[in-house]
Amino acid sequence: MRRQTDPDVLLLQSAADPTRLAILRQLSAEAEVCACNFRECCEVSQPTVSHHLKVLRDAGWVAGERRANWIYYRLRPEAVARFRLLAAQIEPAAMWATIDPPVARRRLQVVQPEP
């Protein structure tokens, strides 16, 4: 199977995992979270948390900042905005009949995750 490179697919795939969704929910409730504090929400080992954080970082959901021995993570507002735009495009076809098609069905620009 070919590796997915579409940033929208990566964004959605990464959020679809239960552990990563729990991490995103915790980050949406707090401005930033130390990597060491995700174990309570996820009930997984620290190496597993690190793996999930890497997937979220690669997909563009989170950014991390190293402070001494720890990395503090925060949600990237651009990823949340992108997710909202993607979700807004998924509606029953009947809803589009009342909206100006050129405006409503405008294609989103492809956005690359932060390195």
Side-chain angles (χ1 to χ4, degrees):
M1 184 174 196
R2 201 170 57 119
R3 182 178 165 97
Q4 188 55 249
T5 58
D6 181 330
D8 292 341
V9 172
L10 293 173
L11 190 77
L12 295 172
Q13 280 180 337
S14 63
D17 178 86
T19 300
R20 292 191 286 268
L21 184 57
I23 289 170
L24 292 173
R25 285 180 172 150
Q26 184 172 348
L27 284 169
S28 68
E30 303 175 43
E32 64 180 13
V33 178
C34 178
C36 62
N37 292 330
F38 286 113
R39 287 190 2 210
E40 292 88 27
C41 82
C42 307
E43 298 179 3
V44 295
S45 67
Q46 188 61 46
T48 303
V49 169
S50 294
H51 163 74
H52 287 297
L53 287 167
K54 180 186 181 324
V55 171
L56 291 169
R57 193 174 51 245
D58 291 347
W61 274 110
V62 300
E65 178 184 334
R66 180 171 289 283
R67 297 183 199 152
N69 293 330
W70 297 106
I71 300 176
Y72 288 80
Y73 288 91
R74 61 178 168 72
L75 273 178
R76 292 184 64 227
E78 310 90 279
V80 175
R82 183 69 178 183
F83 180 77
R84 284 188 177 134
L85 287 171
L86 288 168
Q89 287 187 335
I90 302 171
E91 294 182 355
M95 293 182 73
W96 293 109
T98 61
I99 301 173
D100 182 23
V103 173
R105 293 255 176 183
R106 185 179 308 145
R107 294 203 41 95
L108 291 173
Q109 259 186 342
V110 174
V111 176
Q112 296 298 327
E114 186 177 89

